[in-house]
Amino acid sequence: MKCIKLVTIVAILLLNTLILLSQDDALQKYRLRNITGTELNLIPREILDKSDSFFSKLTRKQIDSAYDELLKTSPLGNKADQVAKLKTETIRSLGLYGDLTGYELVSSELASASLLKLRYLALHTRFPMRWMMTFYKSAQFGWIIINITFDDNIGFFFTDE
């Protein structure tokens, strides 16, 4: 009987380990890098300005204006349903997690000279959120945002080590 219990426990632990290892494979492949002064200097000022303006407007609850400005030269701006969903989910998150009181740039990831992802920690009154913004250097428009996502999975800011 003890042997069966031990085998069951080992099987459960093994299954849990496999599940954890398979979760969010992309984040397992690319560990987050902390922002240092040197790395911050490598992020184009245009991108930092766009991000700062966006989050500043969100702290003032100017949701429509924040998205309209950020997406004005982006192909995302032409996807009315997607923009409406982003705005609705942002308003919903403010209700769930409280007002946005600030934000912090946590990490960046440079895929190439023309593709960059930034990860931010949004500081709310009740619970923080994670924001990911991907920028592309367009020959026509300069740096534009091509993807924006947010969630409450802040545990992904930390390594398992």
Side-chain angles (χ1 to χ4, degrees):
M1 188 69 161
K2 286 183 181 181
C3 186
I4 293 173
K5 285 183 181 179
L6 182 60
V7 169
T8 304
I9 291 171
V10 169
I12 290 171
L13 290 173
L14 192 64
L15 182 61
N16 283 340
T17 302
L18 290 173
I19 290 169
L20 287 173
L21 290 174
S22 67
Q23 288 180 346
D24 209 340
D25 193 300
L27 282 178
Q28 296 299 329
K29 249 169 53 176
Y30 302 105
R31 291 285 186 202
L32 297 178
R33 297 180 320 198
N34 290 336
I35 295 292
T36 63
T38 303
E39 188 174 332
L40 189 59
N41 290 335
L42 298 176
I43 301 171
R45 183 84 241 156
E46 182 181 351
I47 291 176
L48 293 173
D49 290 345
K50 285 182 181 196
S51 300
D52 286 342
S53 178
F54 175 77
F55 283 113
S56 292
K57 287 180 184 238
L58 289 186
T59 61
R60 295 189 305 271
K61 298 182 183 176
Q62 299 172 348
I63 312 300
D64 288 333
S65 176
Y67 279 104
D68 293 346
E69 181 182 315
L70 183 67
L71 302 175
K72 72 178 157 194
T73 57
S74 170
L76 295 176
N78 297 327
K79 298 179 180 180
D81 290 346
Q82 192 171 351
V83 173
K85 184 177 178 181
L86 282 169
K87 290 177 180 180
T88 300
E89 289 299 312
T90 301
I91 292 167
R92 187 173 151 284
S93 72
L94 293 174
L96 285 171
Y97 304 120
D99 291 341
L100 181 65
T101 59
Y103 57 96
E104 298 170 357
L105 180 58
V106 175
S107 67
S108 69
E109 189 175 329
L110 186 66
S112 74
S114 301
L115 191 63
L116 175 70
K117 179 185 262 187
L118 300 179
R119 291 176 186 86
Y120 282 90
L121 178 67
L123 309 171
H124 293 261
T125 54
R126 289 191 289 277
F127 193 85
M129 291 187 65
R130 175 179 71 145
W131 286 74
M132 286 111 356
M133 304 169 123
T134 305
F135 289 89
Y136 168 68
K137 189 171 184 179
S138 161
Q140 184 176 4
F141 298 110
W143 286 100
I144 58 172
I145 191 160
I146 59 168
N147 191 30
I148 184 168
T149 59
F150 55 94
D151 58 38
D152 59 4
N153 293 324
I154 59 167
F156 287 120
F157 283 132
F158 302 98
T159 63
D160 294 334
E161 301 168 311

